[in-house]
Amino acid sequence: MLLHTVHFDSAAPVQVPTGTLLSEAAHLAGIEIGQPCGGQGRCGRCVVQVTAGSVRRRSALRITPEDIAQGYAVACQTVVEGDVSVHVPQQDTLERRLTSDRTAAEVAPPPGYNYLQEQTIRRVLLRMEPPNLDDQTDDLSRLRTALRQQAEFSHVSVSLNMLRSLSDLLRQGNWEVTCVLEILTESDSSGIQERLVAIFPRVVFDDEPLWAAAIDIGTTTVSLWLVDLLTGEVKAQVAEYNGQIQYGEDVISRIIYSGKGSGLRDLHEKVTGTINNLIDQACKRVNAKPHEIVKAVIAGNSTMIHLLLGIPPQTIRLSPFVTSVNQPPGLHARELGLKLHPEASIDCLPGVASYVGADITAGVLSSGLDDMDALTLFLDVGTNGEMVMGNREWLVTCACSAGPAFEGAGVVHGMRATKGAIEEVWISSPKSPHPYEANYRVIGSAKPRGLCGSGLISLLAEMLITGVVDKAGNINLNLAPLNPRIRSGDHGPEYVVAWGSESENGSDVVITAVDIDNLKRAKAAIYAGYIVLAQSVGVSLDLVEQMLIGGSFGKYINVEKAVQIGLLPDLPWERFQFLGNTSVRGAYMALISQQARQKVNAIAARMTYIELSADNAFYEAFMSAMFLPHTDLATFPSVEAAMEKPQNVSAQ
Amino acid sequence: MLLHTVHFDSAAPVQVPTGTLLSEAAHLAGIEIGQPCGGQGRCGRCVVQVTAGSVRRRSALRITPEDIAQGYAVACQTVVEGDVSVHVPQQDTLERRLTSDRTAAEVAPPPGYNYLQEQTIRRVLLRMEPPNLDDQTDDLSRLRTALRQQAEFSHVSVSLNMLRSLSDLLRQGNWEVTCVLEILTESDSSGIQERLVAIFPRVVFDDEPLWAAAIDIGTTTVSLWLVDLLTGEVKAQVAEYNGQIQYGEDVISRIIYSGKGSGLRDLHEKVTGTINNLIDQACKRVNAKPHEIVKAVIAGNSTMIHLLLGIPPQTIRLSPFVTSVNQPPGLHARELGLKLHPEASIDCLPGVASYVGADITAGVLSSGLDDMDALTLFLDVGTNGEMVMGNREWLVTCACSAGPAFEGAGVVHGMRATKGAIEEVWISSPKSPHPYEANYRVIGSAKPRGLCGSGLISLLAEMLITGVVDKAGNINLNLAPLNPRIRSGDHGPEYVVAWGSESENGSDVVITAVDIDNLKRAKAAIYAGYIVLAQSVGVSLDLVEQMLIGGSFGKYINVEKAVQIGLLPDLPWERFQFLGNTSVRGAYMALISQQARQKVNAIAARMTYIELSADNAFYEAFMSAMFLPHTDLATFPSVEAAMEKPQNVSAQ
């Protein structure tokens, strides 16, 4: 038998025969590589890097071609074929690598970014003669003259707010001030109009940043990027929970709350409060002052935009589900109580419908979907599943009332993806020595408190693959004798993910039959959306050449697991791409490019919205998708292949 | 001796010889006609109407040619020449006639007023299909489409405020609403832009009024005219004291107050409170609702406009005396807290300088001065004396810091022209049986409390004419033995106008030497203003062909008395014209005529402002005018003629 020498980092080398798994060789070398899935090649947690020598990969699930090119290999699925050197990454490092994998590219302005070309904001230094008894020109006229003579701005509008501080600012600056203006129109022959945005009573040097913000208002999280308009660079990225959460987790409960007493004002103030906090945070990082921010582009779903603007969102909730406004007019920070410069320009991106808002048009922009040749499906999973199918020729869109199950609501031990949430679960094979055992990973390396969305998807998929649940989603109580985790609880069958002895509060963390039903409905609604969109344009879902997944939730989805429960279509791995928060990125793109900004309008205008609430095709597709992964298992060939044969087990 | 029969109304006829005064004949007939001036033909209080027969008028002072044509005659200056019938008007009736004499013409829109031509406000009825699941167009887009298709408005801007109520209003009106729009520009080729001002959730019929307001913010009084834009007619006129009075009588004290703590906000809120009260009052009269008012044109002095707008007015007060803004931009009612429709258009007319504000440009407009061939002097006396000299070719203007003496301030028994104020005084001739006796008229037929501006002018003139004061304004204590009213008080010489036994609070109402000095300074400042304006354009003051007097104060000035103290130049009676509140009238004209509105801008641009504070010519003219009526008595020939010879008296 031919032996090969395997070096693991600084450990003593070991000798193994051809065909030995790297995971076994590591064990021999005294190195424990975590294998939560029991060495089934499903979890990808045992990835190592082969730095020299020859190996053969049996499976490359969870490894991209780029990873392979760099020598990465799943230890439990890779066999030795010669002398090799292997590096075992720190688990932390690995996790970070895997989660940032295939997500959005680095944030950078487009090459050749030109402030003067891309921005309608201008900053000019003006020097004026002070008034005297021989020249009693009023302050505003003096400023206008300087703007005209020194900067060629001849049609500058000045707000009342600005007039109220004009006299002080001009004198504070000793008649030497820096003005920020916004050029409003360059259309037609009628010439240019400008708006005075800010007066800084000092000389601002040319290389000082000109601050602006790109903001995404998510139902759960608000994100803000602070940008220097002069260079187009993102200088700070901050995010925090939307303060409205205390009044309801999802848009529907917020709409209801907004209709009560001071509800609309409360919600408006909560979200502006959140944004104002983010502004403070971002400003601190770069040593800027909030009132130096002169512009913001804002994306968000239609309800979030209505609440930000203080517009009653009631009609969004009730049939026929219309918004007050899809394309808000240009506004100013003071109108909204935002802590930028009071006159800062606020540009809310346009939405398409009540449940396809500016977060989706921004998402389409940042995904590039509208420019693609390939048939592409864009999905943003949050409380609702909004999706867009199309390419450069056409775009169709719909929103599925998935409910907040994937955000942890409607699930007994569901929770948001914060510290203590189980974010990934592996269940050991029926054939393993300890069948149906659970392994899990918790966010923040804490004791488990519950299950977040990705944990639920992962759990449900494992339950299906190992046969703990059947295709209908029923927990197989026949397996109870094999593992006490499978049991009948107070509310029917359940599976224990974490025992009370391991958990934060000492109670078992379980998933119940009701939870599974809720998750099934949510994923079925989303899958039915794909089907309706595909049908509406007469294509088959498997023709989708590219599937783009946006939203911060999407970032943590394990594609394989999501496919296994039928939340994502069963497409080849390489067709999936995670884009992260496409909404804030779209807002950023619109902020730093006039062309991109105009594109968002074009996207909104091009998108054909399909209302699902009264659509029979949707209802049928939904019913068909109420199985795991689907009634028609032929549409999920990879899942069929992966499923353990339950009869092996029940024969035991 | 030829006797004539004189009939006085229903009294028994009397027989009198040729040459008998009507006043004497009345006495014979047992009818007492008040003659406060002692039959000198100065007060005009004994006017009667000769309805038949022949009389000869010795003097026609205080009687216009129109009055004469109707038979009016001053009884103490008119003699019988044949049988006559005479009607003695009720004193009340008479007063009203005389005070309305020569004041502004009736308020009426110009003939041929055409709403569509003169107004940029439009009112349109829109009928929309309600949204349904097959047409989920957002509310704003639905409205825009209706505006475009049903009214040809294609570029309508909609405020955030309007968006906030849009959804409710459209549904309240069951998709049948009346919109009010403002056409913003019709300039150039670039086409029209419109602004949505109001949505009324009902069918408004074509003949229902379209409400707007013309407002004048005086330092003392705020006036508001409610106008139906469809006909141009004034439907209600209301006025009340400016609520800011509690923080200071004059602009200077208000400016000072505005600089303290919440002062600016207090003053802003007081004046908006006053305007809002007036709106309520006016609306009640015509059964309108405040939010149905869609536009207002506002005039007022520069300080009043700054305070209304909440702009700090400090620079107005301090050298070099500049405003923040002379030409405020277009605003909306909600920005100012005014109780019109929140989106109502607020058009503040332009001013020229710190002390020549929009009240004066509006005054020039309403006086027609800028269109006249004749050399004209326009005066607005209030706290300051603002004046404009010119014609269609040129306009020069200045403001004299007259101080509030003519408003009763700085005078020991001075008061505003309210109930209990002595508004006119007559002092009996040195030759009369009771020399230097005072007669007076009190506003509201009440017991006297003090002296208002017109009372002070009248009193000072009578004192000068009768020799109680000399040209320098010194009270002649030599006359004290002839009448106890002339006496030496605690603070020097004084004259008792009303004894404590007649007065409201039981104290004597007096004028002191210090009071006289203050009045002299005030009138001298104004007269010096005329001189400087005339000199600045190289004309002599007596070439003024027309003198127009605006402001509500001007309405009550007795020209003859004002000339006698040197407050008005000594021009022939027929050259004077009282115009009433020219500021609110100018605002009204600008409201109902686009051409007039543009004219106000042109007037403001054309007016050459002369700053007096550092002008030596002004100082010299002021010193020369510190006499009664003037150092150079030759410039006041009528006064010289009227003055009693004091030596007659001191010889007694």
Side-chain angles (χ1 to χ4, degrees):
Chain A
M1 187 170 65
L2 183 57
L3 291 180
H4 307 294
T5 307
V6 185
H7 286 264
F8 286 95
D9 296 325
S10 56
V14 292
Q15 303 279 317
V16 295
T18 305
T20 304
L21 285 168
L22 283 181
S23 53
E24 294 166 357
H27 181 70
L28 285 175
I31 291 169
E32 286 311 321
I33 299 178
Q35 297 181 70
C37 72
Q40 299 172 74
R42 287 209 309 267
C43 73
R45 292 290 298 284
C46 60
V47 161
V48 295
Q49 188 175 18
V50 178
T51 53
S54 170
V55 295
R56 182 168 61 82
R57 290 172 182 83
R58 288 184 189 166
S59 159
L61 266 179
R62 297 190 67 80
I63 308 255
T64 65
E66 292 80 35
D67 288 337
I68 292 173
Q70 289 179 48
Y72 285 97
V74 179
C76 73
Q77 300 291 322
T78 303
V79 294
V80 175
E81 294 195 324
D83 293 349
V84 285
S85 293
V86 177
H87 165 59
V88 182
Q90 290 291 315
Q91 180 162 310
D92 278 354
T93 320
L94 187 67
E95 274 176 38
R96 209 166 301 129
R97 243 188 53 74
L98 286 174
T99 55
S100 66
D101 240 357
R102 297 195 149 272
T103 62
E106 274 297 293
V107 178
Y113 172 80
N114 181 329
Y115 154 65
L116 289 174
Q117 235 163 54
E118 297 299 349
Q119 296 302 332
T120 55
I121 300 283
R122 293 289 179 273
R123 193 169 67 186
V124 293
L125 176 64
L126 301 178
R127 292 190 169 91
M128 286 158 275
E129 282 298 313
N132 59 65
L133 283 176
D134 292 326
D135 174 8
Q136 293 177 309
T137 307
D138 61 293
D139 294 347
L140 178 59
S141 300
R142 190 174 303 272
L143 180 73
R144 281 192 195 285
T145 301
L147 283 166
R148 193 174 60 245
Q149 292 181 345
Q150 297 173 43
E152 292 182 12
F153 294 132
S154 301
H155 298 91
V156 179
S157 70
V158 178
S159 73
L160 177 58
N161 197 45
M162 191 61 81
L163 277 179
R164 287 174 173 166
S165 54
L166 183 63
S167 157
D168 275 357
L169 290 170
L170 293 179
R171 286 166 183 80
Q172 262 178 50
N174 204 17
W175 304 96
E176 196 169 75
V177 298
T178 303
C179 290
V180 175
L181 293 105
E182 184 180 21
I183 300 170
L184 294 179
T185 48
E186 299 200 25
S187 63
D188 316 348
S189 55
S190 71
I192 295 170
Q193 281 208 322
E194 308 94 7
R195 185 176 76 85
L196 183 61
V197 176
I199 299 178
F200 300 115
R202 65 181 185 95
V203 177
V204 173
F205 294 101
D206 280 351
D207 58 349
E208 291 185 46
L210 180 57
W211 295 114
I215 301 173
D216 167 52
I217 305 177
T219 309
T220 304
T221 306
V222 180
S223 305
L224 182 145
W225 293 4
L226 193 58
V227 177
D228 177 3
L229 291 183
L230 297 183
T231 62
E233 289 170 329
V234 177
K235 297 295 194 178
Q237 292 175 300
V238 289
E240 71 177 41
Y241 283 120
N242 185 332
Q244 295 175 337
I245 282 178
Q246 73 177 92
Y247 300 119
E249 300 257 335
D250 54 63
V251 295
I252 299 300
S253 46
R254 302 230 186 124
I255 293 175
I256 292 170
Y257 184 82
S258 77
K260 296 176 187 168
S262 65
L264 180 58
R265 200 183 58 219
D266 295 346
L267 291 167
H268 170 73
E269 286 173 0
K270 282 292 171 191
V271 72
T272 54
T274 301
I275 294 174
N276 289 343
N277 279 344
L278 290 173
I279 290 169
D280 279 339
Q281 284 174 40
C283 282
K284 257 179 214 154
R285 286 202 200 160
V286 298
N287 201 23
K289 294 189 182 69
H291 79 275
E292 292 172 349
I293 307 175
V294 295
K295 184 174 180 178
V297 172
I298 301 185
N301 67 50
S302 299
T303 301
M304 289 305 111
I305 296 295
H306 277 60
L307 293 177
L308 171 71
L309 270 48
I311 301 174
Q314 305 305 328
T315 56
I316 290 178
R317 186 182 148 230
L318 303 169
S319 180
F321 315 110
V322 300
T323 62
S324 278
V325 54
N326 284 337
Q327 192 146 1
L331 298 170
H332 309 136
R334 74 181 138 78
E335 295 184 272
L336 302 179
L338 292 179
K339 202 178 169 178
L340 293 69
H341 190 288
E343 297 301 306
S345 164
I346 303 292
D347 179 11
C348 292
L349 296 179
V352 174
S354 276
Y355 296 102
V356 176
D359 50 345
I360 304 306
T361 55
V364 169
L365 172 75
S366 83
S367 73
L369 165 53
D370 62 310
D371 268 346
M372 286 173 179
D373 290 317
L375 174 62
T376 303
L377 181 58
F378 171 77
L379 172 69
D380 192 334
V381 191
T383 305
N384 289 285
E386 295 112 339
M387 59 194 75
V388 186
M389 184 179 278
N391 54 29
R392 68 165 77 245
E393 308 276 326
W394 50 269
L395 297 168
V396 291
T397 184
C398 69
C400 313
S401 311
F406 292 123
E407 291 181 329
V411 174
V412 63
H413 286 134
M415 65 180 285
R416 281 199 299 271
T418 54
K419 191 172 172 181
I422 294 172
E423 61 170 340
E424 196 155 17
V425 182
W426 300 270
I427 296 177
S428 61
S429 166
K431 300 170 228 161
S432 75
H434 300 288
Y436 311 117
E437 258 311 293
N439 267 291
Y440 51 81
R441 185 173 63 201
V442 179
I443 295 177
S445 307
K447 286 189 171 182
R449 294 193 293 134
L451 290 142
C452 66
S454 59
L456 288 166
I457 293 169
S458 165
L459 170 60
L460 191 57
E462 290 285 291
M463 289 170 84
L464 175 69
I465 295 300
T466 57
V468 176
V469 296
D470 64 13
K471 278 178 59 186
N474 300 312
I475 292 176
N476 188 354
L477 284 179
N478 292 334
L479 303 178
L482 296 178
N483 195 316
R485 292 180 184 270
I486 300 161
R487 71 185 186 194
S488 192
D490 292 344
H491 302 287
E494 61 185 30
Y495 177 82
V496 181
V497 185
W499 296 107
S501 56
E502 308 154 13
S503 78
E504 164 104 348
N505 67 358
S507 306
D508 298 347
V509 176
V510 304
I511 185 167
T512 68
V514 176
D515 296 344
I516 293 170
D517 200 56
N518 281 334
L519 291 167
K520 228 172 52 180
R521 286 177 184 280
K523 76 95 189 171
I526 290 169
Y527 194 82
Y530 310 146
I531 297 295
V532 169
L533 286 191
Q535 284 176 354
S536 75
V537 291
V539 302
S540 160
L541 193 53
D542 58 3
L543 294 181
V544 167
E545 297 170 74
Q546 195 171 214
M547 172 131 196
L548 309 176
I549 302 171
S552 54
F553 174 69
K555 228 167 45 172
Y556 301 103
I557 290 183
N558 179 323
V559 170
E560 193 186 355
K561 307 286 165 88
V563 169
Q564 284 169 358
I565 67 165
L567 172 61
L568 293 178
D570 195 1
L571 300 171
W573 162 266
E574 65 275 11
R575 295 195 194 169
F576 291 95
Q577 206 176 336
F578 292 103
L579 303 180
N581 186 338
T582 51
S583 180
V584 69
R585 183 178 299 268
Y588 165 67
M589 290 169 66
L591 175 63
I592 59 157
S593 159
Q594 289 204 59
Q595 200 202 339
R597 178 61 187 86
Q598 284 153 16
K599 251 182 150 180
V600 188
N601 284 357
I603 288 167
R606 279 179 57 197
M607 279 165 80
T608 304
Y609 174 72
I610 299 176
E611 172 62 45
L612 301 180
S613 69
D615 189 313
N616 283 330
F618 175 75
Y619 185 72
E620 282 170 27
F622 174 77
M623 292 312 291
S624 300
M626 278 293 281
F627 288 78
L628 297 174
H630 196 266
T631 320
D632 182 8
L633 201 52
T635 57
F636 283 84
S638 84
V639 184
E640 189 168 24
M643 280 167 77
E644 307 268 353
K645 298 293 172 289
Q647 54 268 38
N648 287 1
V649 183
S650 54
Q652 246 180 341
Chain B
M1 186 169 70
L2 183 59
L3 292 181
H4 307 291
T5 308
V6 185
H7 286 262
F8 285 95
D9 294 324
S10 55
V14 291
Q15 304 280 317
V16 295
T18 305
T20 303
L21 285 168
L22 283 180
S23 53
E24 294 165 358
H27 182 68
L28 285 176
I31 291 169
E32 286 309 321
I33 299 177
Q35 297 181 70
C37 71
Q40 299 172 75
R42 286 207 311 265
C43 71
R45 292 290 297 285
C46 60
V47 161
V48 296
Q49 189 175 19
V50 179
T51 53
S54 168
V55 294
R56 183 169 59 84
R57 291 172 180 82
R58 287 184 190 163
S59 159
L61 266 180
R62 295 189 71 79
I63 309 257
T64 65
E66 293 79 34
D67 289 337
I68 291 173
Q70 290 178 46
Y72 286 97
V74 179
C76 72
Q77 299 292 322
T78 303
V79 294
V80 175
E81 294 195 323
D83 291 349
V84 286
S85 294
V86 176
H87 166 58
V88 181
Q90 290 291 316
Q91 180 163 312
D92 280 353
T93 321
L94 187 69
E95 275 176 35
R96 208 166 300 132
R97 246 187 51 77
L98 287 174
T99 56
S100 67
D101 242 355
R102 295 195 151 270
T103 62
E106 273 297 292
V107 178
Y113 173 79
N114 182 328
Y115 156 64
L116 290 173
Q117 236 164 54
E118 298 298 348
Q119 295 303 330
T120 54
I121 300 284
R122 293 289 179 271
R123 191 169 69 185
V124 294
L125 177 64
L126 301 177
R127 292 190 167 90
M128 287 159 273
E129 283 298 312
N132 59 66
L133 284 174
D134 292 326
D135 174 9
Q136 294 177 309
T137 307
D138 61 294
D139 295 346
L140 179 59
S141 299
R142 191 174 303 272
L143 180 73
R144 281 192 194 285
T145 302
L147 283 167
R148 193 172 60 245
Q149 293 180 346
Q150 297 173 43
E152 293 182 9
F153 294 132
S154 301
H155 300 90
V156 179
S157 70
V158 178
S159 73
L160 177 58
N161 196 46
M162 191 60 81
L163 277 178
R164 287 173 173 167
S165 56
L166 183 63
S167 158
D168 276 356
L169 290 171
L170 293 178
R171 285 164 184 79
Q172 263 177 48
N174 204 18
W175 304 96
E176 196 169 76
V177 297
T178 303
C179 290
V180 175
L181 293 104
E182 183 180 19
I183 300 171
L184 294 178
T185 48
E186 300 200 24
S187 63
D188 315 348
S189 54
S190 71
I192 295 169
Q193 280 209 323
E194 307 94 8
R195 184 175 77 85
L196 183 61
V197 176
I199 299 178
F200 299 115
R202 65 181 184 95
V203 177
V204 173
F205 295 100
D206 280 350
D207 58 351
E208 291 185 47
L210 180 56
W211 295 116
I215 300 172
D216 167 55
I217 305 177
T219 309
T220 304
T221 306
V222 180
S223 305
L224 182 147
W225 293 5
L226 194 58
V227 177
D228 176 4
L229 291 183
L230 297 183
T231 63
E233 289 168 330
V234 177
K235 297 294 195 177
Q237 293 175 300
V238 289
E240 69 177 42
Y241 283 120
N242 186 333
Q244 295 175 337
I245 283 178
Q246 74 177 92
Y247 298 120
E249 299 258 336
D250 55 65
V251 296
I252 299 299
S253 47
R254 304 235 182 118
I255 294 174
I256 292 170
Y257 184 83
S258 78
K260 295 176 188 167
S262 65
L264 180 58
R265 201 182 60 220
D266 295 345
L267 290 168
H268 170 73
E269 286 174 0
K270 282 292 170 188
V271 71
T272 54
T274 300
I275 294 174
N276 289 344
N277 280 343
L278 290 173
I279 289 169
D280 280 339
Q281 284 173 39
C283 282
K284 257 180 214 156
R285 286 202 201 162
V286 297
N287 201 22
K289 294 187 184 71
H291 79 276
E292 292 171 350
I293 306 175
V294 295
K295 183 172 182 181
V297 172
I298 301 184
N301 67 51
S302 299
T303 301
M304 290 303 112
I305 296 296
H306 277 60
L307 294 176
L308 171 72
L309 269 48
I311 300 174
Q314 305 306 329
T315 55
I316 290 178
R317 187 181 146 229
L318 303 170
S319 180
F321 314 111
V322 300
T323 62
S324 278
V325 54
N326 284 337
Q327 190 147 2
L331 299 169
H332 309 136
R334 72 180 141 78
E335 295 184 90
L336 302 180
L338 292 180
K339 202 177 170 180
L340 291 68
H341 191 287
E343 297 301 306
S345 164
I346 303 291
D347 179 10
C348 292
L349 296 180
V352 175
S354 276
Y355 295 102
V356 175
D359 50 345
I360 304 306
T361 56
V364 169
L365 173 74
S366 82
S367 73
L369 165 55
D370 62 310
D371 269 345
M372 285 175 181
D373 290 317
L375 174 61
T376 302
L377 181 58
F378 171 76
L379 172 70
D380 192 333
V381 191
T383 304
N384 289 286
E386 294 111 340
M387 60 193 77
V388 186
M389 186 180 278
N391 54 29
R392 69 165 76 246
E393 310 275 328
W394 50 269
L395 297 168
V396 291
T397 184
C398 69
C400 313
S401 311
F406 291 123
E407 291 179 329
V411 174
V412 63
H413 286 133
M415 64 180 285
R416 281 199 298 271
T418 55
K419 193 175 169 177
I422 294 172
E423 60 171 341
E424 196 155 15
V425 181
W426 299 271
I427 296 179
S428 59
S429 165
K431 298 171 230 159
S432 75
H434 300 285
Y436 312 117
E437 256 315 291
N439 266 292
Y440 51 81
R441 186 172 63 203
V442 179
I443 294 177
S445 306
K447 286 189 170 181
R449 295 194 291 135
L451 289 142
C452 68
S454 59
L456 287 166
I457 292 169
S458 164
L459 170 59
L460 191 56
E462 290 284 292
M463 289 170 82
L464 176 69
I465 295 299
T466 57
V468 175
V469 296
D470 64 12
K471 279 178 59 182
N474 301 312
I475 293 176
N476 187 353
L477 284 179
N478 291 334
L479 304 177
L482 296 177
N483 196 317
R485 291 178 186 270
I486 300 161
R487 70 186 186 192
S488 192
D490 291 345
H491 302 287
E494 60 187 27
Y495 179 81
V496 180
V497 185
W499 295 108
S501 55
E502 307 154 13
S503 79
E504 166 105 346
N505 68 358
S507 306
D508 297 346
V509 176
V510 304
I511 185 166
T512 68
V514 175
D515 297 344
I516 292 170
D517 200 56
N518 281 334
L519 290 167
K520 227 172 51 180
R521 286 178 186 282
K523 76 94 192 173
I526 290 170
Y527 194 82
Y530 308 146
I531 296 294
V532 169
L533 287 192
Q535 285 178 354
S536 77
V537 291
V539 300
S540 160
L541 193 54
D542 57 3
L543 293 180
V544 167
E545 297 170 72
Q546 198 172 213
M547 173 134 198
L548 309 176
I549 301 171
S552 54
F553 173 68
K555 230 169 42 174
Y556 301 103
I557 289 184
N558 179 324
V559 171
E560 191 185 355
K561 307 285 166 88
V563 169
Q564 284 170 358
I565 67 166
L567 172 61
L568 293 179
D570 194 2
L571 299 171
W573 163 265
E574 66 274 8
R575 293 193 196 170
F576 290 95
Q577 204 175 337
F578 291 104
L579 302 179
N581 187 335
T582 49
S583 180
V584 69
R585 182 179 299 269
Y588 165 69
M589 290 170 65
L591 176 63
I592 59 159
S593 160
Q594 289 205 58
Q595 202 203 336
R597 179 61 188 84
Q598 286 154 14
K599 251 180 149 180
V600 188
N601 285 357
I603 288 167
R606 279 179 57 197
M607 280 164 79
T608 304
Y609 175 72
I610 299 175
E611 171 62 44
L612 300 182
S613 70
D615 189 313
N616 283 331
F618 175 74
Y619 184 71
E620 280 169 29
F622 174 75
M623 292 312 290
S624 299
M626 278 293 280
F627 287 79
L628 297 176
H630 195 268
T631 318
D632 181 7
L633 199 55
T635 57
F636 284 83
S638 84
V639 184
E640 189 169 24
M643 280 166 78
E644 308 268 352
K645 299 293 172 285
Q647 53 269 40
N648 287 359
V649 182
S650 55
Q652 249 180 338

